[in-house]
């Protein structure tokens, strides 16, 4: 039972992390109609910045804040230098150009930080487990990730639904030309949105960094999961991204820990042991396929233009 | 139609002649490396030709074609591991498996449109990658070494480098011919029509879903063939063969060479692999140059190499 609760929390934590990544992707797609494969690179860069700044300032929190700002700036620079020229182009162009950016970022990181991974040590107050229920302890750091992610999701909801900037973002998503014609500086708006997406990706990266090592290519595997999330949730929908991210997080985490046991009930021990790793990694994709059969536009399709 | 002698025709003829005469050159100079490099180029060009059928002619941006390389390769590897060495058994099974996978992925992703189509093959290719990594019996992450190359009962010997090179080249030229025949047939024109305007094609009575699906399956099967050759060429198959950056490389080849042109993928494969060789001599960090170069190609040279040879055809 303890293990089950712990795995559920792990699933929630992973799901929320995926949401941070998927929110940026879906925001950028919904508003700029831009497919950004290099989103995973921003996730990686966030983690590298955090590891560097934390070592430099000696404080995890300060390092994380500086890294967020730096990732935001990198995101805005990428938008101004490269992405801006891609709006209105074919999606294939986006795929290719951002694939080029991935190569560039991966190699730049190798050049600057070297091929070996970095680690981001946690401060001691985040290392001690916390008693969440009588008799059940849980990692303080993972709990902190959950709290921060939920807060960021709430803030994002507030910004998008309740502020003037959010109103412009929603207006931009439904009719770009029109808000440009109304005198809104659409270039600046796009740069801001891209920067925001980059910062969200960077936040996800730096929060994941202490759990895994900071290494080149760390953003690429999770990026594909984030794609699965937004395909399931409906591209362009932040609400859909949130629900499907949590869903994917749960299914993936619980699937990996309990699927082998379930398999053992049907198959003999050896077959189950060999098939389980392959099958449990398939789980999430099979669910995606099933959802696409029923709802090709995802669970919460953003309203058509 | 008789074409005038133009730059493009000259380049194609020179390239084909060079490819045909390459083994002669290597046997004269004893340059084993060139033969290995070119076998690889020819195989990847075959994969690019297959992707071009879906991407260039069908307008289906499949970011998961490396999965077919992996399926073709693993089918050969697994059968060989289990003691089935005959190419007459291995190859049809490998092709069938690729076709089946293409059918399933295509059927799912073609239900959706636009940007979904990019992500779904990508996700399934990643799934295939994880499955291969989980196959403990067949080496898991480390991959599987082929004890023997596919045997063809003395008809042709894939272990002989020159014979294998010519086999690959023949299959490449055969598939270019196939693509040429396909794209000029009623089927191919319908697929290209659907790329330009799907709604209109359906309105005049073409079930475009089935046409595009058939196109995707042919493309996937051809790519599976490239996978078979790739596994035989390296005597090794590992999950890395279907990592998603490999799918990206294939798209780069197609676009670099010129989308929707018959010889474009061949140009692209030659150019990309030569570029890799050349840039990696300049610096160890050659991808730092390749990345921005790709960006520039996307921004300023949409027609790729074929477009440049044809003269300015801006997209």
């Amino acid at each position: 039972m303890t293990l089950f609760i712990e795995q559920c929390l792990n699933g929630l934590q992973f799901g929320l992390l995926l949401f941070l990544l998927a929110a940026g992707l879906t925001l950028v797609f919904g508003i700029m109609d831009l497919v950004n494969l290099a989103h995973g690179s921003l996730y990686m860069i966030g983690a590298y910045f955090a590891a560097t700044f934390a070592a430099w300032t000696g404080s995890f929190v300060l390092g994380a804040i500086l890294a967020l700002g730096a990732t935001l700036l990198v995101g805005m620079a990428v938008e101004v230098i490269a992405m801006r020229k891609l709006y209105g182009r074919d999606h294939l162009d986006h795929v290719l150009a951002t694939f080029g950016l991935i190569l560039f970022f991966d190699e730049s990181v190798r050049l600057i930080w070297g091929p070996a991974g970095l680690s981001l040590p946690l401060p001691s107050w985040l290392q001690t487990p916390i008693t969440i229920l009588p008799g059940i302890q849980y990692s303080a750091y993972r709990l902190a990730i959950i709290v921060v992610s939920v807060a960021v999701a709430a803030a994002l909801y507030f910004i998008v639904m309740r502020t003037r900037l959010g109103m412009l973002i929603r207006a931009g998503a439904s009719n770009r030309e029109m808000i440009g014609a109304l005198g809104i500086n659409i270039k600046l708006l796009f740069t801001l949105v891209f920067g925001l997406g980059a910062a969200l990706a960077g936040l996800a990266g730096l929060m994941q960094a202490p759990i895994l090592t900071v290494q080149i290519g760390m953003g690429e595997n999770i990026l594909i999961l984030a794609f699965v999330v937004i395909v399931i949730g409906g591209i362009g929908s932040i609400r859909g991204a949130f629900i499907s991210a949590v869903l994917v997080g749960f299914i993936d985490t619980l699937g990996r820990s309990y699927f082998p046991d379930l398999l053992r009930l049907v198959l003999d021990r050896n077959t189950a042991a060999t098939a389980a790793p392959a099958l449990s990694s398939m789980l999430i994709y099979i669910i995606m396929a099933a959802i696409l059969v029923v709802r090709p536009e995802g669970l919460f399709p953003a309203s058509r233009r | 139609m008789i074409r005038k002698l133009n730059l493009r025709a000259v380049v194609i003829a020179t390239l084909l002649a060079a490819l045909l005469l390459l083994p002669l050159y290597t046997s004269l100079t004893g340059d084993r490396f060139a033969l290995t490099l070119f076998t690889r180029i020819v195989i990847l060009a075959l994969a690019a030709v297959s992707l071009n059928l879906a991407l260039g002619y069908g307008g289906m941006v499949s970011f998961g074609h490396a999965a077919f390389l992996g399926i073709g390769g693993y089918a050969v590897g697994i059968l060989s591991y289990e003691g089935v060495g005959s190419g007459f058994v291995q190859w049809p099974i490998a092709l069938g498996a690729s076709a089946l996978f293409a059918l399933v992925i295509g059927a799912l992703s073609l239900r959706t449109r636009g940007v979904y189509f990019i992500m779904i093959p990508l996700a399934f290719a990643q799934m295939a990658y994880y499955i291969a990594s989980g196959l403990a019996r067949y080496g898991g992450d480390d991959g599987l070494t082929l004890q023997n190359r596919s045997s063809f009962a003395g008809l042709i010997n894939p272990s002989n480098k020159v014979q294998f090179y010519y086999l690959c080249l023949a299959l490449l030229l055969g598939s270019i011919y196939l693509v040429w025949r396909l794209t000029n047939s009623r089927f191919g024109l319908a697929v290209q029509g659907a790329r330009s305007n799907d709604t209109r094609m359906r309105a005049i009575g073409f079930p475009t879903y089935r046409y595009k699906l058939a196109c995707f399956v042919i493309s996937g099967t051809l790519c599976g063939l490239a996978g078979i050759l790739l596994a035989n060429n390296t005597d090794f198959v590992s999950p890395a063969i279907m990592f998603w950056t490999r799918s990206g490389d294939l798209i780069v080849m197609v676009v670099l060479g010129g989308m929707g042109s018959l010889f474009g993928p061949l140009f692209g494969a030659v150019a990309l692999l030569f570029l890799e060789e050349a840039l990696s001599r300049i610096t160890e960090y050659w991808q730092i140059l390749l990345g921005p170069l790709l960006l520039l190609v996307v921004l300023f040279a949409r027609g790729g190499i074929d477009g440049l040879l044809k003269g300015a055809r801006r997209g």
Side-chain angles (χ1 to χ4, degrees):
Chain A
M1 192 59 201
T2 317
L3 186 69
F4 180 70
I5 292 176
E6 198 173 310
Q7 290 294 358
C8 280
L9 284 169
N10 282 347
L12 180 67
Q13 177 256 315
F14 185 54
L16 288 168
L17 211 65
L18 274 178
F19 166 71
L20 294 182
L21 206 59
L25 265 182
T26 205
L27 208 60
V28 166
F29 179 78
I31 294 160
M32 282 95 109
D33 197 22
L34 179 82
V35 183
N36 182 16
L37 290 184
H39 204 64
S41 299
L42 296 163
Y43 170 92
M44 170 181 75
I45 284 176
Y48 269 95
F49 275 146
T52 311
F53 288 134
W56 191 41
T57 58
S59 152
F60 178 76
V61 176
L62 206 59
I65 292 169
L66 284 175
L68 264 188
T71 319
L72 181 85
L73 289 180
V74 170
M76 284 163 69
V78 167
E79 201 272 346
V80 172
I81 294 168
M83 299 302 177
R84 186 167 281 182
K85 301 181 178 66
L86 292 170
Y87 301 141
R89 294 275 205 116
D90 195 44
H91 286 147
L92 177 62
D93 287 6
H94 303 164
V95 167
L96 267 175
T98 51
F99 183 69
L101 280 177
I102 292 178
L103 298 182
F104 175 75
F105 277 123
D106 278 0
E107 212 67 348
S108 306
V109 165
R110 201 192 311 276
L111 194 66
I112 297 170
W113 281 282
L118 299 180
S119 65
L120 179 54
L122 280 175
S124 57
W125 57 276
L126 280 172
Q127 274 173 350
T128 43
I130 290 181
T131 310
I132 41 170
L133 283 171
I136 297 175
Q137 290 198 321
Y138 191 64
S139 151
Y141 183 64
R142 283 178 188 265
L143 209 60
I145 294 183
I146 293 176
V147 172
V148 170
S149 307
V150 169
V152 168
L156 199 63
Y157 177 83
F158 179 78
I159 291 176
V160 172
M161 302 309 280
R162 292 281 181 274
T163 64
R164 187 173 166 78
L165 175 67
M167 189 181 74
L168 293 178
I169 289 177
R170 279 178 291 135
S174 54
N175 195 333
R176 274 180 286 177
E177 288 77 17
M178 185 53 92
I179 72 157
L182 289 174
I184 306 301
N185 186 345
I186 203 161
K187 278 189 170 174
L188 184 67
L189 181 69
F190 281 7
T191 310
L192 279 177
V193 170
F194 196 88
L196 181 67
L200 287 174
L203 179 64
L206 73 90
M207 288 203 301
Q208 186 75 309
I211 300 177
L212 306 169
T213 39
V214 180
Q215 58 188 357
I216 293 157
M218 66 184 282
E220 293 165 8
N221 294 330
I222 200 167
L223 176 79
I224 292 172
L225 266 186
F227 277 147
V228 172
V229 164
I230 66 174
V231 166
I232 291 178
I235 299 173
S237 155
I238 293 190
R239 189 175 55 131
F242 184 79
I243 294 169
S244 77
V246 174
L247 197 71
V248 167
F250 266 109
I251 293 171
D252 196 52
T253 311
L254 295 182
R256 274 172 210 282
S257 43
Y258 293 103
F259 196 65
D261 295 333
L262 288 178
L263 214 57
R264 214 162 292 154
L265 298 176
V266 234
L267 298 170
D268 72 276
R269 206 178 180 78
N270 273 332
T271 331
T274 23
L279 281 176
S280 52
S281 54
M282 273 177 78
L283 205 57
I284 205 76
Y285 301 100
I286 294 172
I287 287 168
M288 177 183 83
I291 288 174
L292 285 175
V293 170
V294 190
R295 301 188 64 143
E297 300 268 274
L299 292 176
F300 303 93
S303 51
R304 292 278 110 214
R305 271 174 218 154
Chain B
M1 193 180 83
I2 299 163
R3 280 211 198 98
K4 267 189 264 173
L5 191 69
N6 56 15
L7 180 62
R8 183 158 160 261
V10 171
V11 171
I12 291 172
T14 319
L15 189 60
L16 289 182
L19 286 175
L20 280 170
L21 295 177
L22 182 87
L24 192 66
Y25 162 78
T26 55
S27 66
L28 285 176
T29 57
D31 186 353
R32 308 288 286 179
F33 175 69
L35 194 59
T36 314
L37 176 69
F38 269 87
T39 312
R40 194 176 160 72
I41 289 181
V42 165
I43 296 171
L44 289 177
L46 173 60
V49 166
S50 79
L51 177 62
N52 188 35
L53 184 62
L55 176 65
Y57 293 106
M60 294 174 271
V61 185
S62 162
F63 208 121
H65 254 56
F68 301 114
L69 286 180
I71 288 170
Y74 263 96
V76 169
I78 289 175
L79 285 172
S80 147
Y81 183 82
E82 300 294 353
V84 184
S86 165
F88 293 117
V89 182
Q90 283 179 351
W91 289 35
I93 292 181
L95 293 178
S98 311
L100 193 67
F101 191 66
L103 186 67
V104 173
I105 292 190
L108 280 169
S109 26
L110 281 170
R111 290 169 57 85
T112 64
R113 237 169 283 157
V115 66
Y116 281 88
F117 192 93
I118 300 172
M119 294 179 187
I120 295 164
L122 173 63
F124 281 110
Q126 193 70 359
M127 177 185 90
Y129 172 79
Y130 284 128
I131 293 175
S133 307
L135 291 174
R137 183 177 164 82
Y138 304 112
D141 271 331
D142 299 329
L144 180 65
T145 304
L146 270 70
Q147 298 302 327
N148 292 302
R149 291 187 176 183
S150 310
S151 63
F152 283 95
L155 209 61
I156 189 167
N157 178 14
S159 301
N160 178 315
K161 285 199 168 185
V162 174
Q163 283 191 30
F164 185 67
Y165 173 77
Y166 275 120
L167 175 68
C168 297
L169 189 60
L171 288 171
L172 171 67
L173 297 179
S175 58
I176 290 179
Y177 177 71
L178 176 74
V179 169
W180 181 63
R181 288 300 300 265
L182 270 179
T183 50
N184 286 308
S185 67
R186 181 172 180 277
F187 167 79
L189 292 173
V191 167
Q192 290 171 74
R195 179 195 58 189
S196 309
N197 194 330
D198 197 75
T199 319
R200 194 169 288 177
M201 285 304 284
R202 267 183 285 132
I204 58 174
F206 283 95
T208 52
Y209 178 83
R210 274 185 265 158
Y211 274 87
K212 285 197 281 190
L213 185 57
C215 177
F216 191 75
V217 171
I218 297 170
S219 165
T221 314
L222 270 181
C223 198
L225 179 63
I228 297 175
L229 296 175
L230 207 56
N232 272 301
N233 183 37
T234 47
D235 299 306
F236 178 70
V237 58
S238 79
I241 196 178
M242 47 181 145
F243 195 58
W244 70 288
T245 49
R246 177 60 62 83
S247 304
D249 287 343
L250 291 180
I251 294 189
V252 169
M253 284 176 198
V254 171
V255 175
L256 196 64
M259 266 204 313
S261 86
L262 201 56
F263 286 92
L266 178 58
F267 294 152
V270 173
L272 184 67
L273 288 163
F274 263 86
L275 211 58
E276 279 185 17
E277 283 292 321
L279 290 179
S280 61
R281 276 183 200 162
I282 301 174
T283 162
E284 182 192 342
Y285 304 101
W286 56 273
Q287 289 193 335
I288 217 166
L289 301 173
L290 185 65
L293 202 66
L294 273 182
L295 202 63
L296 292 178
V297 170
V298 171
L299 291 176
F300 303 111
R302 274 308 311 277
I305 297 170
D306 194 65
L308 292 177
L309 291 178
K310 250 191 245 172
R313 184 195 65 175
R314 298 272 155 123

